[in-house]
Each structure stands twice: as C-alpha cells, then as structure tokens.
Amino acid sequence: GARRMHVLIRDLLLYSRVTNVETLAIAPVSLCSAVEWSLQNLELAINEAGAAVTGYKDLPIVLADRIQIVQLFQNLLGNAVKYRSEVPLEIAIGAQESGGEWTISVRDNGIGIDSRFHDRIFGLFKRLNREKAGTGIGLAICKKIVEKHGGRIWVESERGQGSTFFFTISSAVAPLKRTDLNAAKNTAGGR
C-alpha cells in the first residue's frame, strides 16, 4: 500500500508539473534521440519483455520541450510493455508529415483496447485493467503534453489486436545551422 501511494503521489506531482508549466522550453529536439532516452529509462522493462522497438531512427527534428517529449514517449512505450500479450512484443514508431504537422505513431502488438474505451483512457485515473500496476495518470499526462505543444492524441485499437497511439506536433522548424542540428540530435539523449 505504501509503495502504491508513493507511485500515486509521484505521478500526481508529474501531472501537476505538466499541467501548470506556463512556458515550455521550446528548442529543436530530435525525436529519435527522445525515443532513445526513453528506451534507456525503460531499459530493464524493455529487456525483461524481450521487446523489439523499430522505426524511430528516421523520426524528424521538431520544435518542442525536450523533457516533456521524452516523458511522452516513455509513457507510451511503458504502456506497450505493460499491456503486452503472450507473443513477443513488437513496437514500431513512425512519422508522417502532412498539412504543416507531423503525425507520430507508436504501434504495438499487445492486448489492445476495446473501441468503446478509446476516449476514456486519456482521462485522469482511468484504468481499464486492474490486474496491471499503475495509477491511471500516464495517458492523461501524454494528453496534456501533446495539448501543450498544440497537438492532439488518439488511439486506434481493437481488443486482442494491439494498439496504435498517434499524436501530432507542428512540423515547423526554425532555420537551423548545422551546429544547431547536431545539438538537437544530441540534446534528447545526452549523447
């Protein structure tokens, strides 16, 4: 009970920070590096699940708050690990540009989500599977992060068929010098 309370308080503080931040630290961010940083944070869980994560090497550089984007990917990847099925976990991350924005996708072959719950899962304390550990705050944090960046988030899924989470982010990137591009590739991963 104490451990659950600690996790709940930690998640509530994170949600509060994301919700109450007035100014984002907007800078060029390599989404590839943000995913790599998230994978590093989740390394133990990813390895235990035997997960294969693909597609992220070709993600774009965007103007965003690096810390929040890492948190966004960490929550989405963490959920894919948590709600995996019996088959080996495969997570594919992709990006498509259209109409001045990138649509980023995070697809897994996990247990999936019944379509009647697609909107509900982004609410605070909304959990569909009580057997799995969690507070029901992770996807609410994802939604706040995406909205703070002027985008939207949604899921396409069917029970037993895996899930694909999508979010949008502006594709507008200020003209960058080569040194700025290198810095953006290195900022999210500390590499």
Side-chain angles (χ1 to χ4, degrees):
R3 206 173 315 125
R4 280 197 313 269
M5 185 59 71
H6 173 74
V7 170
L8 178 61
I9 290 169
R10 184 200 65 210
D11 287 355
L12 282 171
L13 287 172
L14 180 58
Y15 182 80
S16 175
R17 271 187 245 133
V18 169
T19 301
N20 294 323
V21 68
E22 295 194 18
T23 307
L24 297 174
I26 299 295
V29 175
S30 162
L31 295 184
C32 172
S33 293
V35 170
E36 287 173 344
W37 190 252
S38 300
L39 290 171
Q40 193 173 31
N41 292 342
L42 295 167
E43 184 175 17
L44 182 61
I46 294 282
N47 289 342
E48 284 179 358
V53 183
T54 60
Y56 64 91
K57 297 285 187 188
D58 297 322
L59 293 178
I61 293 172
V62 299
L63 290 175
D65 182 302
R66 178 185 60 85
I67 293 171
Q68 288 196 3
I69 294 300
V70 169
Q71 184 67 53
L72 171 64
F73 278 116
Q74 189 169 315
N75 286 2
L76 293 175
L77 293 168
N79 273 1
V81 170
K82 187 185 299 183
Y83 298 104
R84 64 187 183 270
S85 64
E86 297 300 317
V87 300
L89 178 59
E90 296 176 2
I91 303 169
I93 303 172
Q96 184 171 7
E97 186 179 21
S98 177
E101 67 184 9
W102 286 101
T103 300
I104 310 300
S105 60
V106 179
R107 179 176 41 88
D108 67 60
N109 61 344
I111 62 173
I113 304 164
D114 190 302
S115 61
R116 59 193 164 139
F117 300 117
H118 286 185
D119 290 331
R120 179 179 169 202
I121 61 173
F122 294 102
L124 200 54
F125 302 117
K126 301 300 181 188
R127 295 180 55 221
L128 301 181
N129 189 331
R130 301 282 180 207
E131 296 171 7
K132 304 286 183 178
T135 58
I137 297 176
L139 289 176
I141 289 171
C142 290
K143 183 177 180 186
K144 286 294 181 188
I145 290 171
V146 170
E147 288 173 348
K148 290 260 183 195
H149 285 81
R152 61 196 186 289
I153 188 169
W154 69 98
V155 65
E156 292 179 5
S157 180
E158 290 182 36
R159 194 109 180 93
Q161 301 297 312
S163 301
T164 304
F165 285 86
F166 297 92
F167 68 90
T168 60
I169 191 164
S170 174
S171 62
V173 177
L176 300 172
K177 300 175 195 159
R178 179 149 307 283
T179 56
D180 293 335
L181 284 172
N182 289 336
K185 289 178 182 175
N186 294 326
T187 55
R191 301 169 197 249

